[in-house]
Amino acid sequence: LVPISWLGINEGLLESADSSGITGEVSRAIELGQINYIKDIPKDTPFRFKTFAGEAIPREIIAVPLAMKGKTIAVIVLASLREFTAEQLEFIDMSLPGLNAGLDNLLANDRTREMAGNLEATNQELELQKGELQRQSRELQEQNLELNLQRAEVEEANRLKS
């Protein structure tokens, strides 16, 4: 996993990681493919909010896995200085299918753009090959015409000899 965007966490604490080496709330969300609620936040957590009065440790953290074809491919981590309300938790639960569908659409669009680029490159190559084949065809037609003229000359010479 590679951190893409963050707010309220010290950038130096973020590292890219293979999901097999991740521990804690993110690892659990990845392994289970389910939202992971963390209430007992340790004092040494990398999740800290910067405020005008210093840094604050969150009271709760929620790791929300985003999946495609049954495999977790992203995790959104939310933290709060207060306990999450029942309404907030319900909103997160209800939003998960939409987030997964949106991510799936984004990835599908990326694949479509990549395929369109590949198709464009292939079309350009085919156009070059078409031009070369047309040139070769014209050359062969000219050679054929020349051979027909030579054949006619040989036939005329043979007719005159006889």
Side-chain angles (χ1 to χ4, degrees):
L1 292 174
V2 178
I4 295 175
S5 181
W6 57 90
L7 178 66
I9 185 171
N10 181 345
E11 180 180 351
L13 297 173
L14 295 172
E15 296 180 10
S16 296
D18 179 352
S19 61
S20 63
I22 297 174
T23 58
E25 63 278 342
V26 175
S27 174
R28 189 160 165 76
I30 291 170
E31 289 171 11
L32 298 177
Q34 299 173 346
I35 296 173
N36 187 21
Y37 304 96
I38 303 99
K39 295 186 184 262
D40 297 320
I41 311 298
K43 298 288 183 205
D44 62 348
T45 181
F47 297 99
R48 297 176 182 274
F49 291 102
K50 292 180 183 176
T51 69
F52 69 92
E55 290 186 338
I57 296 173
R59 187 165 202 176
E60 290 187 357
I61 296 174
I62 299 176
V64 182
L66 301 179
M68 186 171 139
K69 296 180 183 173
K71 182 178 180 189
T72 300
I73 59 171
V75 178
I76 297 174
V77 179
L78 305 171
S80 176
L81 296 174
R82 297 181 194 85
E83 290 182 12
F84 286 101
T85 66
E87 292 83 16
Q88 290 169 326
L89 296 175
E90 182 180 359
F91 176 79
I92 292 168
D93 284 334
M94 291 176 57
S95 298
L96 190 54
L99 289 170
N100 283 327
L103 182 60
D104 193 32
N105 286 339
L106 284 172
L107 294 174
N109 286 338
D110 284 347
R111 284 191 307 275
T112 300
R113 273 192 291 279
E114 181 181 337
M115 289 169 45
N118 291 342
L119 184 59
E120 179 65 28
T122 301
N123 284 341
Q124 288 174 355
E125 179 64 28
L126 288 173
E127 282 297 319
L128 290 173
Q129 290 176 0
K130 175 184 167 187
E132 178 63 21
L133 288 172
Q134 286 173 338
R135 185 192 62 74
Q136 290 175 356
S137 176
R138 282 190 304 274
E139 190 175 294
L140 288 172
Q141 286 174 349
E142 290 171 6
Q143 289 174 358
N144 189 37
L145 182 61
E146 182 67 30
L147 288 172
N148 283 337
L149 289 173
Q150 289 175 1
R151 182 181 47 85
E153 289 172 2
V154 168
E155 287 176 356
E156 181 63 22
N158 285 339
R159 188 183 62 78
L160 291 174
K161 283 184 186 178
S162 25

